[in-house]
Amino acid sequence: QSALTQPASVSGSPGQSITISCTGTTNNVGSYNLVSWYQQYPGQAPKLLIYEVTKRPSGVSNRFSGSKSGNTASLTISGLQAEDEANYYCCSYSGTKYFYVFGLGTKVTVL
Amino acid sequence: DVQILESGGGLVQPGGSLRLSCVVSKINFNTSVMSWVRQSPGKGLEWVSTISASGYSTFYADSLKGRFTISRDSSKSTVNLQMSSLRAEDTAIFYCATLNNNAFHLWGQGTMVTVSS
Protein backbone atom coordinates (compact mmCIF):
# COMPACT_ATOMS: atom_id res chain seq x y z
CA GLN A 1 0.00 0.00 0.00
CA SER A 2 1.22 3.51 -0.78
CA ALA A 3 2.76 5.67 1.90
CA LEU A 4 0.81 8.58 3.31
CA THR A 5 1.58 11.90 1.63
CA GLN A 6 3.42 14.55 3.62
CA PRO A 7 5.16 17.72 2.43
CA ALA A 8 8.90 17.16 2.21
CA SER A 9 9.65 20.26 4.21
CA VAL A 10 7.98 22.96 6.27
CA SER A 11 9.68 25.97 7.81
CA GLY A 12 8.79 28.73 10.19
CA SER A 13 10.23 31.39 12.43
CA PRO A 14 10.51 31.05 16.19
CA GLY A 15 7.19 31.71 17.86
CA GLN A 16 5.14 31.01 14.77
CA SER A 17 2.76 28.12 14.24
CA ILE A 18 3.22 25.59 11.47
CA THR A 19 1.03 22.75 10.26
CA ILE A 20 2.14 19.51 8.65
CA SER A 21 -0.42 17.68 6.57
CA CYS A 22 -0.71 13.93 6.11
CA THR A 23 -2.97 12.75 3.31
CA GLY A 24 -4.16 9.20 2.98
CA THR A 25 -7.21 7.49 1.56
CA THR A 26 -10.53 6.10 2.68
CA ASN A 27 -8.62 2.87 3.40
CA ASN A 28 -6.62 4.41 6.20
CA VAL A 29 -6.79 8.02 7.46
CA GLY A 30 -10.34 8.52 6.25
CA SER A 31 -11.72 5.40 7.92
CA TYR A 32 -9.99 5.30 11.28
CA ASN A 33 -9.31 7.82 14.06
CA LEU A 34 -6.02 6.03 14.55
CA VAL A 35 -3.48 8.52 13.25
CA SER A 36 -0.27 9.00 15.18
CA TRP A 37 2.63 11.42 14.80
CA TYR A 38 6.33 10.95 15.56
CA GLN A 39 9.27 13.28 15.96
CA GLN A 40 12.72 12.06 15.00
CA TYR A 41 16.06 13.80 15.38
CA PRO A 42 18.93 12.64 13.14
CA GLY A 43 20.56 9.52 14.53
CA GLN A 44 17.85 8.99 17.13
CA ALA A 45 14.79 6.80 17.47
CA PRO A 46 11.34 8.24 16.75
CA LYS A 47 9.30 9.64 19.62
CA LEU A 48 5.52 9.50 19.82
CA LEU A 49 3.90 12.94 19.88
CA ILE A 50 0.23 12.28 19.09
CA TYR A 51 -1.97 9.18 18.98
CA GLU A 52 -5.59 8.59 18.08
CA VAL A 53 -5.52 11.82 16.04
CA THR A 54 -5.57 14.26 18.97
CA LYS A 55 -4.19 12.64 22.12
CA ARG A 56 -0.82 13.51 23.63
CA PRO A 57 1.18 11.02 25.69
CA SER A 58 2.28 12.16 29.10
CA GLY A 59 5.28 14.46 28.89
CA VAL A 60 4.66 15.75 25.36
CA SER A 61 4.38 19.52 25.14
CA ASN A 62 0.93 20.97 24.54
CA ARG A 63 2.48 22.98 21.73
CA PHE A 64 1.89 19.87 19.63
CA SER A 65 -1.68 19.21 18.54
CA GLY A 66 -3.35 16.95 16.03
CA SER A 67 -6.52 17.03 13.97
CA LYS A 68 -8.18 15.27 11.06
CA SER A 69 -10.60 16.13 8.30
CA GLY A 70 -11.64 13.51 5.81
CA ASN A 71 -8.59 11.74 4.42
CA THR A 72 -6.12 14.32 5.76
CA ALA A 73 -4.63 14.52 9.22
CA SER A 74 -2.60 17.44 10.48
CA LEU A 75 0.01 18.16 13.12
CA THR A 76 0.28 21.73 14.35
CA ILE A 77 3.30 23.00 16.23
CA SER A 78 2.55 26.23 18.07
CA GLY A 79 5.14 28.64 19.40
CA LEU A 80 7.83 27.13 17.21
CA GLN A 81 11.17 26.64 18.97
CA ALA A 82 14.65 25.82 17.73
CA GLU A 83 14.40 22.38 19.37
CA ASP A 84 11.43 21.55 17.11
CA GLU A 85 13.77 21.27 14.14
CA ALA A 86 13.47 17.58 13.30
CA ASN A 87 11.74 15.11 10.99
CA TYR A 88 8.07 14.36 11.59
CA TYR A 89 6.21 11.26 10.47
CA CYS A 90 2.54 10.45 10.47
CA CYS A 91 1.15 6.94 10.67
CA SER A 92 -2.32 5.49 10.25
CA TYR A 93 -3.94 2.18 10.96
CA SER A 94 -4.99 0.72 7.63
CA GLY A 95 -7.14 -2.28 8.39
CA THR A 96 -6.30 -5.93 8.79
CA LYS A 97 -4.46 -6.37 5.50
CA TYR A 98 -1.89 -3.56 5.59
CA PHE A 99 -2.17 -2.69 9.29
CA TYR A 100 0.06 0.40 9.64
CA VAL A 101 1.22 2.81 6.96
CA PHE A 102 3.62 5.69 7.54
CA GLY A 103 4.14 8.94 5.73
CA LEU A 104 7.48 9.66 4.08
CA GLY A 105 8.28 12.35 6.60
CA THR A 106 8.48 16.13 6.80
CA LYS A 107 11.61 18.03 7.69
CA VAL A 108 10.82 21.02 9.87
CA THR A 109 13.27 23.90 9.74
CA VAL A 110 13.23 26.74 12.23
CA LEU A 111 14.43 29.86 10.45
CA ASP B 1 12.80 4.50 32.86
CA VAL B 2 11.54 1.90 30.42
CA GLN B 3 14.31 0.29 28.47
CA ILE B 4 14.02 -1.34 25.07
CA LEU B 5 17.29 -2.69 23.76
CA GLU B 6 17.70 -4.28 20.33
CA SER B 7 20.57 -6.50 19.27
CA GLY B 8 21.54 -8.91 16.55
CA GLY B 9 22.08 -6.56 13.64
CA GLY B 10 25.09 -6.73 11.39
CA LEU B 11 26.35 -7.42 7.90
CA VAL B 12 24.81 -10.37 6.06
CA GLN B 13 25.07 -11.55 2.48
CA PRO B 14 22.07 -11.53 0.15
CA GLY B 15 20.04 -14.67 0.72
CA GLY B 16 21.30 -14.99 4.26
CA SER B 17 19.52 -15.02 7.59
CA LEU B 18 19.68 -12.97 10.75
CA ARG B 19 17.90 -13.03 14.10
CA LEU B 20 17.17 -9.78 15.89
CA SER B 21 16.31 -9.61 19.57
CA CYS B 22 14.72 -6.95 21.72
CA VAL B 23 14.88 -7.02 25.51
CA VAL B 24 12.33 -4.97 27.40
CA SER B 25 12.61 -3.86 31.02
CA LYS B 26 10.63 -1.83 33.52
CA ILE B 27 7.26 -2.36 31.88
CA ASN B 28 4.83 -5.24 32.16
CA PHE B 29 6.12 -7.23 29.20
CA ASN B 30 3.39 -9.86 29.50
CA THR B 31 0.68 -7.32 28.70
CA SER B 32 2.63 -5.43 26.04
CA VAL B 33 1.95 -5.77 22.33
CA MET B 34 5.31 -5.51 20.57
CA SER B 35 6.29 -4.49 17.07
CA TRP B 36 9.24 -4.08 14.74
CA VAL B 37 9.51 -0.98 12.55
CA ARG B 38 12.36 -0.41 10.12
CA GLN B 39 13.94 2.60 8.49
CA SER B 40 16.05 2.33 5.36
CA PRO B 41 19.06 4.69 5.19
CA GLY B 42 17.83 8.21 4.56
CA LYS B 43 14.28 7.00 4.14
CA GLY B 44 11.04 6.87 6.07
CA LEU B 45 9.61 4.43 8.55
CA GLU B 46 8.01 1.11 7.61
CA TRP B 47 5.98 -1.16 9.86
CA VAL B 48 7.36 -4.70 9.74
CA SER B 49 5.56 -6.94 12.22
CA THR B 50 3.53 -7.08 15.43
CA ILE B 51 3.00 -9.81 18.02
CA SER B 52 0.17 -9.87 20.54
CA ALA B 53 0.79 -9.85 24.28
CA SER B 54 0.05 -13.56 24.48
CA GLY B 55 2.17 -14.38 21.47
CA TYR B 56 -0.67 -16.27 19.84
CA SER B 57 -1.30 -13.66 17.15
CA THR B 58 1.28 -12.34 14.73
CA PHE B 59 1.01 -9.85 11.91
CA TYR B 60 3.36 -8.97 9.06
CA ALA B 61 3.76 -6.38 6.36
CA ASP B 62 2.48 -7.77 3.09
CA SER B 63 5.76 -6.91 1.36
CA LEU B 64 7.74 -9.36 3.49
CA LYS B 65 6.10 -12.35 1.81
CA GLY B 66 6.72 -14.80 4.62
CA ARG B 67 10.46 -14.19 4.99
CA PHE B 68 10.26 -12.84 8.56
CA THR B 69 8.97 -14.50 11.73
CA ILE B 70 8.26 -12.68 14.98
CA SER B 71 8.19 -14.44 18.34
CA ARG B 72 8.41 -13.62 22.03
CA ASP B 73 9.79 -15.21 25.18
CA SER B 74 8.03 -13.98 28.30
CA SER B 75 10.62 -15.60 30.59
CA LYS B 76 13.27 -13.32 29.11
CA SER B 77 11.04 -10.31 28.28
CA THR B 78 12.34 -10.65 24.75
CA VAL B 79 10.89 -10.26 21.28
CA ASN B 80 12.69 -11.83 18.35
CA LEU B 81 12.58 -11.27 14.61
CA GLN B 82 13.94 -14.11 12.51
CA MET B 83 14.75 -12.86 9.02
CA SER B 84 15.59 -15.09 6.08
CA SER B 85 16.20 -14.75 2.34
CA LEU B 86 17.49 -11.27 3.01
CA ARG B 87 17.76 -8.79 0.15
CA ALA B 88 19.64 -5.54 -0.34
CA GLU B 89 16.39 -3.65 0.13
CA ASP B 90 16.09 -5.07 3.66
CA THR B 91 19.06 -2.91 4.67
CA ALA B 92 17.71 -0.72 7.44
CA ILE B 93 17.72 0.20 11.09
CA PHE B 94 15.26 -2.10 12.82
CA TYR B 95 13.44 -0.61 15.80
CA CYS B 96 11.53 -2.52 18.45
CA ALA B 97 8.55 -0.65 19.88
CA THR B 98 5.53 -1.11 22.11
CA LEU B 99 2.18 -0.85 20.37
CA ASN B 100 -0.74 0.60 22.30
CA ASN B 101 -3.87 2.39 21.10
CA ASN B 102 -2.64 1.57 17.58
CA ALA B 103 0.42 3.79 18.07
CA PHE B 104 4.07 2.99 18.68
CA HIS B 105 4.62 4.44 22.12
CA LEU B 106 8.07 3.40 23.31
CA TRP B 107 11.01 2.74 21.02
CA GLY B 108 14.44 1.22 21.33
CA GLN B 109 17.49 2.81 19.76
CA GLY B 110 17.50 0.34 16.89
CA THR B 111 19.89 -2.18 15.41
CA MET B 112 21.39 -1.81 11.95
CA VAL B 113 21.03 -4.57 9.39
CA THR B 114 23.14 -4.37 6.24
CA VAL B 115 22.56 -6.81 3.41
CA SER B 116 25.48 -6.74 1.04
CA SER B 117 27.99 -9.02 -0.62
Side-chain angles (χ1 to χ4, degrees), chain A residues 34 36 38 40 43-48 51-52 89 91 93 97-100 102-104, chain B residues 37 39 43-47 50 59-60 62 95 99-105 107-109:
Chain A
L34 295 173
S36 51
Y38 304 85
Q40 186 180 36
Q44 295 190 21
K47 172 190 173 183
L48 177 66
Y51 67 100
E52 292 180 349
Y89 296 90
C91 179
Y93 179 70
K97 178 173 174 62
Y98 297 106
F99 291 96
Y100 300 99
F102 283 90
L104 294 179
Chain B
V37 176
Q39 186 170 32
K43 300 281 182 67
L45 300 164
E46 179 187 15
W47 172 74
T50 292
F59 311 93
Y60 300 93
D62 209 41
Y95 294 102
L99 181 65
N100 191 19
N101 307 107
N102 286 286
F104 304 98
H105 279 247
W107 298 64
Q109 283 305 301

Side-chain angles (χ1 to χ4, degrees), chain B residues 1 3 8-10 12 18 20-21 25 30 51 57 61 65 71 75-76 81 86 89 91 96 101 107 110 116-117:
Chain B
D1 287 347
Q3 286 193 331
V12 60
L18 208 57
L20 306 183
S21 293
S25 59
N30 292 334
I51 187 166
S57 298
K65 297 186 179 180
S71 62
S75 69
K76 298 179 181 178
L81 186 69
L86 285 164
E89 53 264 37
T91 294
C96 180
N101 307 107
W107 298 64
S116 175
S117 55

